[in-house]
Every structure is written in structure tokens, then in C-alpha cells.
Amino acid sequence: MPEPKVPVNESPQTASPAKGSVRHPALILLVIGFSSLCASLMQSLVIPIQPELPSMLGTSASNAAWVVTATLLAGGVAMPVAGRLADLKGCKPVLIGSAALMLAGSLICALGDSLAPVLVGRVLQGLAMGYIPVAISFVREVMPPRLRNTAVAGISATLGVGGALGLPLAAWIAQAYDWHALFWMASALAVIMVVSTAVALPHRAPAGSGKLDVIGAIGMAIGVVAVLVGVSKGNDWGWASAATLGVIIGGVAALLLWAWFELRQDSPLVDLRTMARRPILLTNLAALMAGFGMMAQAIVIPQLLQAPDATGYGLGQTMLQTGLWMAPGGLMMLAFTPISSGMLTRFGGRATLATGMVVLSSGYLVAFFLSAAPWQLMLASCISSAGVGIAYAAMPTLIMENSPASEAGSGVGVNALMRSMGTTSAGAVMAIVLTAVTTTVGGESLPTVTAFKICFLLAAVAGLGAAATTLFIKRGRPGTDETDEDQAQAEAPAAGSAAEDSQARETSEEPALI
């Protein structure tokens, strides 16, 4: 008798695999949280040494800028691909592979002295960003219900925490030691990631089936990279230049062709029909605006802190001092993890996401009116960061609530990609404003205080736009986990094969001991 097939239009509930507790959940959460934080640190690792990169690598300033950009581009591509691989092969192999990419990239950079090897290493470090969306999907699957929301909130927050804490850490290391020490530190962290992930995490059978859509992955990479390159370099190349327009238009065309191809695949890299569901579509639109709002403070506040006193508004802080003023914001994201978890359990993802974006906007309004002292900007950063921590916890929860289990990893990866596109857009828009509204101080062209205030207002509007978008998501039940009875009823049609699956999962949940 043939096995019953799951309908193509299965609901997220009927597609959910059996969930069971694992041994040592606190250890698993510690390993996943630490490793996600390490992967996120790669975003800001070289920012303190960016002005010196041309002389360090013997290249031009425009070429050296790719050392930062390459990591962001690689991370944007890696997150949905890693998520889909996790759906097909299981989370643990992808997590180990992502950690290994970070190790390889860090070693190449540590041993390199010219642009080419450092660029290769930074691309590999960016690909390691795929660890984070897979980690979110993994903890959602293996954590017991009482820890599930806390785990998702904590791992989601690392996307912002790593960037915030990386600034003072990298600035201190770069000042105290040779710049290669940054990458030796990253290599040591990557070794811990690889070993702890391999040893401590259980293996779970994959929820999806099929093969990786390689052509779809290549097509998406071409389109996403082209659009992000055009947006990130538009201010340097000129927004009306043939290079900028050609790259952006070509990228959009590639993405349209990719979408046409994906809709005709039996096992696509990204199921666009699932992505078009109203809750997922609106959550991803909110993620785009949330990424814009989060990145604005990382771009604008450090520049305001470091602006010279001679401007009349600048605060004259060094890079290390700036990083230390920004660090409490990163810690605030972590501090709000239990609060985000409680909000998810009590109010659901929709209300939590809207609340987070309103809090983020409030932080920018504080910065608009209070920017005369470093502590005032720190206060604004902490408020905005609290909003980021709340919102980032809610987004993957909303995605996984409304996606089939076989597509949970790719869904979270696409959501992370949308946030990445928002951060890239923020960099471009803020650069336009800060270079368009300037004054001359000591022969140098610098942004005016009005330019900074415009940036704060734009970020606040983005946050409020994300909150408004969220309110159009259908209201769901607070608490995101199904009861055992619900799962049993949902799995009843496939009882025979489900029993075998359940037994296989139980035997595979033991942590690997290497």
C-alpha cells in the first residue's frame, strides 16, 4: 500500500514535525547563542581599521571598501541558501559547515597581507552568517516549550548584538595589537564554534526532502548581489551613472527571471507561493524597514560622536570611546530577551513586532531632541536597541508560525535577507543625506547637525512604517506552540510513516560525542 502524501497546500500546522525535548537544553542554547554571536561579530570586525585599510593592504580606498561590503553581500546570499540546506539536510551539518567557513575565512585573513586574500577571507566570513537563521530554526525545533520563545528571542538578538559589541572589541584589539590579531581572535572563536557545535548539538532528521536548487541559488545570488552592490555603491559611483543604473536594473531583471524559474520548480530554493502568504509577506516587508531602522543608529550615531568639536555640535570622541558608548545598546538587546519572550508568549508575534518598532522609533525621536552629550546619544541608542531586540525576536516567530516545517529554515533565511537589504538601503540613504547637507570646517566638508536630524527622522519613520505594516498581519493566538493533542490529530493521516519518523528522531536526538 503506497504511503499517504502530504498535500501540496499543506498548512503550517499539518506540516509540523513531532517536537520533543532534548537533553541539556541549557548547554545547547549556550552553544548556539555563543556561536551566533561570533558569526555576527564579523559584520563590524574591520570597521575600526577601515580608514587604514588602503595603506595596510597596499590598495586604493575604493578597493579597500570592498573588505567591508563583501562580507555584507556574502551574508545576504548565504542566509536563505543555508536555511534551505538545513531544511533538506538537517540543521546540524549546516551549522558545522557555516562555522568551518568562518574558520577558513578568518585564517586566510590572518595570514594575508594584500587585498585579494583578505577579500576571499571576508567573503567566507560573510557566508558564515548563514549560521544565524539556521540556529533560530534549530532552537525552535529542539527547545522544550518553556524555553522556545526565549531561545528564539536570544538568537535573533545576536544579529544586532554582535555588530554593537564588535565595535569596541575590534577597536581595542586594533589599537593594542597588529591588525592581524583581529583575525587570529576570529579564528580562535571559530575553532570553539566548530568543536562545540559538533559535540554538543543533537542531530535531527530533516523536515524537507528533495535536492538543493543550485540554479535557483546561483540566480538569486546574482540578483541580490547586483542590487545590493548598486545600492551600496550608488553614492560613490553616482546614482545617475551607467554603472549604478546598470547594476541595479540588471539585478532586478535577474531576480524577476529567478522568480519565474522558481515558480516552475518542484523543489525550489524559496517557495514563493509560501512567501506570498499575507503574514509572511507583511513580516518580510516589516523586516526590510526594521533593518533600515536598526542600521541607521550604527551609521549616524558614531559619526555624530566622532565629529570634531569645532563643528559646534560634534562630540570629539575617538573610535574606542565611540564603541564604548555604543556597547550598552548591544547589551540592551540581550537584556530584553526575557521581556521579548514573555511578550511573545502573552501577546503573540504580531503585537510584539509592532511594539518593538514603536520603541525603536522612540529612540530616534530622543536622539532628534537630545544629542548634545555622549550620554544622551547612548540613551537614544539603548532605547532603539531595546526596540530592535523586541522586534527581531518576533519576526522569525511569525515566519515559522506561518510556514510549513519543511520550509522553516529557508523562510527564516529569506527574512534575514530582507533585514540585510534594509541595512544596506539605510547605508545608502544615510550617505546621501550626510553628503548632501554639509558645512566646511577647517577646509573639510562635514555633515551639518540638520543632516543628522534628518537621518534620525527617516529612521523613526521607517520604524513606524514597520509597525503599521505589522498591524495588517492577521491576529494569531498568543503562544506559538501546538499541544501534543493537536500534533497527534494533525499527524493522524500519516500515522504509519510518522511513527517511524518519530522513532528515528528519538534515536538521533542524543548529542554526538566526538
Side-chain angles (χ1 to χ4, degrees), residues 435-485:
T435 55
V437 187
T438 60
T439 185
T440 302
V441 178
E444 184 180 0
S445 180
L446 296 171
T448 65
V449 67
T450 301
F452 288 108
K453 289 184 179 294
I454 291 173
C455 290
F456 291 139
L457 283 180
L458 289 173
V461 169
L464 293 176
T469 301
T470 302
L471 296 180
F472 287 96
I473 299 174
K474 184 178 179 181
R475 188 186 301 273
R477 292 180 304 169
T480 59
D481 301 309
E482 299 172 300
T483 64
D484 293 337
E485 182 180 354

Side-chain angles (χ1 to χ4, degrees), residues 36 48 65 71 77 92 95-96 201 241 253 268 292 302 324 393 395 399 417-418 432 436-437 458 480 508 513:
S36 298
T71 304
V77 171
K92 183 174 179 176
L95 292 172
I96 295 174
L201 302 189
S241 69
F292 187 103
L324 292 173
M395 281 186 279
I399 294 294
L417 170 61
M418 295 300 290
I432 292 173
V437 187
L458 289 173
T480 59
S508 63
L513 298 176

Side-chain angles (χ1 to χ4, degrees), residues 405-428:
S406 58
E407 299 170 17
S410 60
V412 174
V414 170
N415 184 256
L417 170 61
M418 295 300 290
R419 283 182 264 178
S420 179
M421 296 187 78
T423 61
T424 303
S425 300

Side-chain angles (χ1 to χ4, degrees), residues 192-236:
I192 298 172
M193 285 176 63
V194 172
V195 174
S196 61
T197 299
V199 172
L201 302 189
H203 177 68
R204 301 292 296 269
S209 60
K211 295 181 179 179
L212 179 67
D213 178 13
V214 177
I215 296 177
I218 294 172
M220 186 202 68
I222 293 172
V224 168
V225 169
V227 171
L228 292 181
V229 166
V231 171
S232 62
K233 294 296 181 181
N235 207 51
D236 296 332

Side-chain angles (χ1 to χ4, degrees), residues 37 157 160-162 164-165 168 324 326-338 381-382 385-386:
L37 185 63
V161 175
L165 297 184
L324 292 173
M326 296 292 291
L331 296 175
M332 185 65 69
M333 295 183 200
L334 280 182
F336 264 72
T337 294
S381 176
C382 286
S385 297

Side-chain angles (χ1 to χ4, degrees), residues 163-411:
L165 297 184
L167 281 174
L169 178 62
W172 172 70
I173 292 175
Q175 286 185 10
Y177 306 97
D178 179 76
W179 66 272
H180 291 87
L182 289 172
F183 297 104
W184 286 117
M185 175 200 70
S187 300
L189 293 175
V191 169
I192 298 172
M193 285 176 63
V194 172
V195 174
S196 61
T197 299
V199 172
L201 302 189
H203 177 68
R204 301 292 296 269
S209 60
K211 295 181 179 179
L212 179 67
D213 178 13
V214 177
I215 296 177
I218 294 172
M220 186 202 68
I222 293 172
V224 168
V225 169
V227 171
L228 292 181
V229 166
V231 171
S232 62
K233 294 296 181 181
N235 207 51
D236 296 332
W237 295 348
W239 288 101
S241 69
T244 301
L245 294 177
V247 169
I248 293 178
I249 293 172
V252 171
L255 288 175
L256 290 174
L257 184 61
W258 169 77
W260 176 86
F261 176 81
E262 290 293 281
L263 288 171
R264 284 156 179 78
Q265 301 305 301
D266 294 329
S267 180
L269 177 73
V270 177
D271 189 336
L272 295 179
R273 292 181 178 86
T274 299
M275 293 297 107
R277 290 175 180 169
R278 183 173 174 178
I280 297 177
L281 177 62
L282 293 178
T283 300
N284 283 332
L285 288 176
L288 184 68
M289 290 180 274
F292 187 103
M294 186 207 79
M295 192 61 178
Q297 67 166 329
I299 296 171
V300 179
I301 291 180
Q303 289 196 46
L304 187 51
L305 284 167
Q306 294 179 75
D309 297 327
T311 61
Y313 62 81
L315 301 173
Q317 302 294 294
T318 66
M319 172 59 78
L320 180 57
Q321 289 171 328
T322 298
L324 292 173
W325 284 115
M326 296 292 291
L331 296 175
M332 185 65 69
M333 295 183 200
L334 280 182
F336 264 72
T337 294
I339 297 174
S340 305
S341 172
M343 291 179 67
L344 284 171
T345 302
R346 185 170 181 179
F347 304 113
R350 174 179 176 269
T352 302
L353 177 53
T355 301
M357 297 317 300
V358 170
V359 173
L360 178 141
S361 297
S362 301
Y364 286 117
L365 293 178
V366 170
F368 181 86
F369 292 105
L370 297 176
S371 58
W375 71 265
Q376 294 176 346
L377 290 176
M378 182 188 72
L379 174 64
S381 176
C382 286
I383 296 173
S384 294
S385 297
V388 171
I390 295 170
Y392 273 27
M395 281 186 279
T397 298
L398 282 169
I399 294 294
M400 289 185 285
E401 281 179 0
N402 295 283
S403 299
S406 58
E407 299 170 17
S410 60

